[in-house]
């Protein structure tokens, strides 16, 4: 009469998917042999009587949406993402996300405690205003957990919207009391910024 031996993984390292599916090994006393079928997480070697349990790294996905100040989609941004405090063996090198023709992009990230995201190129005709953050930091704890039917965590995901403001050029026109164009030089300054000068010419309409 066969003897059924059940195996269930009850814990593993934090950045791996928990192999919670039960796996069964069968022992046949008459022939003193074992048998077991391979599954997504388990395999059995008859020659060495070795059970191998395979864990997959938990996938982490970040979706970036590019919009302007009116919440309309924009394209052409480039982002830098730097993982911080990664486990041993997992690289923490910079990830470049080029959204040439995309207004929305999903990136798979390595496991880390947090991620520093910075826009290094804005879409053409757009800028990052002084009051807007130039970079942001997202902790892994802020990601939404994706669970299977047994409530095991099988992934993490989150989404951010990154806003740029359309560059609105300001024109200066210098005229006399009768509307005639005049030559003039203006000094333009902003708090905390270097001053600049702008010249307007009567021959160009003032």
């Amino acid at each position: 009469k066969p003897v059924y031996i059940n195996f269930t993984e009850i814990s593993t390292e934090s950045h791996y998917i928990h192999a919670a599916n039960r796996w069964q090994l069968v022992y046949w006393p008459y022939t003193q042999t074992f048998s077991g079928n391979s599954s997504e997480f388990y395999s059995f070697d008859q020659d060495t009587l070795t059970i191998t349990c395979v864990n997959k790294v938990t996938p982490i996905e970040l979706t970036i949406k590019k919009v302007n100040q009116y919440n309309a989609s924009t394209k052409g941004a480039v982002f830098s993402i730097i993982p911080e405090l990664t486990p041993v063996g997992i690289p923490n090198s910079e990830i470049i996300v080029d959204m040439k023709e995309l207004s929305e992009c999903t990136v798979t990230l390595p496991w880390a405690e947090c991620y520093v995201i910075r826009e290094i190129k804005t879409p053409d005709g757009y800028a990052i205003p002084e009051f807007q953050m130039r970079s942001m930091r997202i902790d892994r704890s802020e990601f939404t957990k994706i669970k299977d039917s047994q409530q095991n965590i099988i992934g993490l995901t989150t989404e951010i919207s990154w806003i740029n403001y359309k560059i609105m050029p300001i024109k200066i026109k210098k005229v006399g009391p009768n509307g005639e164009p005049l030559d003039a030089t203006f000094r333009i300054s902003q708090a905390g910024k270097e001053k600049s000068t702008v010249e307007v010419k009567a021959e160009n309409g003032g």
Side-chain angles (χ1 to χ4, degrees):
K1 195 173 183 178
V3 178
Y4 297 94
I5 307 169
N6 296 318
F7 293 86
T8 303
E9 182 181 89
I10 57 174
S11 66
T12 188
E13 293 184 41
S14 60
H15 57 288
Y16 288 94
I17 295 177
H18 184 209
N21 292 12
R22 178 180 293 181
W23 184 77
Q24 193 172 74
L25 185 67
V26 183
Y27 174 65
W28 304 91
Y30 181 75
T31 58
Q32 295 187 342
T33 57
F34 292 88
S35 64
N37 295 324
S38 296
S39 69
E40 182 182 3
F41 296 105
Y42 296 96
S43 64
F44 177 65
D45 188 313
Q46 292 277 5
D47 296 328
T48 61
L49 300 181
T50 301
I51 300 169
T52 301
C53 179
V54 180
N55 291 96
K56 298 178 181 179
V57 175
T58 304
I60 300 178
E61 292 188 341
L62 167 68
T63 298
I64 302 172
K65 290 185 175 182
K66 281 297 303 168
V67 294
N68 63 16
Q69 67 267 42
Y70 307 111
N71 205 36
S73 298
T74 61
K75 299 178 182 179
V78 179
F79 287 88
S80 162
I81 304 175
I82 299 178
E84 293 188 344
L85 303 175
T86 58
V88 175
I90 294 181
N92 62 347
S93 53
E94 181 182 32
I95 301 166
I96 299 297
V97 181
D98 191 341
M99 299 174 65
K100 287 181 181 177
E101 300 298 325
L102 301 172
S103 59
E104 181 177 328
C105 179
T106 299
V107 186
T108 299
L109 303 174
W111 187 273
E113 290 299 318
C114 63
Y115 305 88
V116 177
I117 305 165
R118 182 168 60 93
E119 187 175 32
I120 57 179
K121 180 184 178 300
T122 63
D124 293 340
Y126 288 85
I128 303 174
E130 292 303 314
F131 61 82
Q132 183 184 351
M133 57 190 174
R134 292 183 177 273
S135 65
M136 69 181 301
R137 183 189 187 97
I138 303 178
D139 290 338
R140 193 181 69 243
S141 61
E142 298 177 53
F143 283 67
T144 300
K145 296 175 182 178
I146 303 172
K147 298 182 179 181
D148 62 14
S149 59
Q150 300 178 19
Q151 297 303 301
N152 298 306
I153 299 172
I154 57 174
L156 300 174
T157 185
T158 195
E159 179 182 293
I160 61 172
S161 290
W162 201 286
I163 302 173
N164 290 130
Y165 284 70
K166 193 170 182 63
I167 298 173
M168 306 295 287
I170 298 175
K171 296 180 180 180
I172 302 174
K173 187 175 183 179
K174 177 68 174 177
V175 297
N178 298 316
E180 68 275 17
L182 300 175
D183 290 342
T185 300
F186 293 87
R187 176 178 290 169
I188 301 173
S189 63
Q190 183 180 348
K193 296 293 181 180
E194 294 183 5
K195 298 176 181 179
S196 60
T197 58
V198 176
E199 292 186 359
V200 294
K201 296 291 186 180
E203 61 189 39
N204 295 326

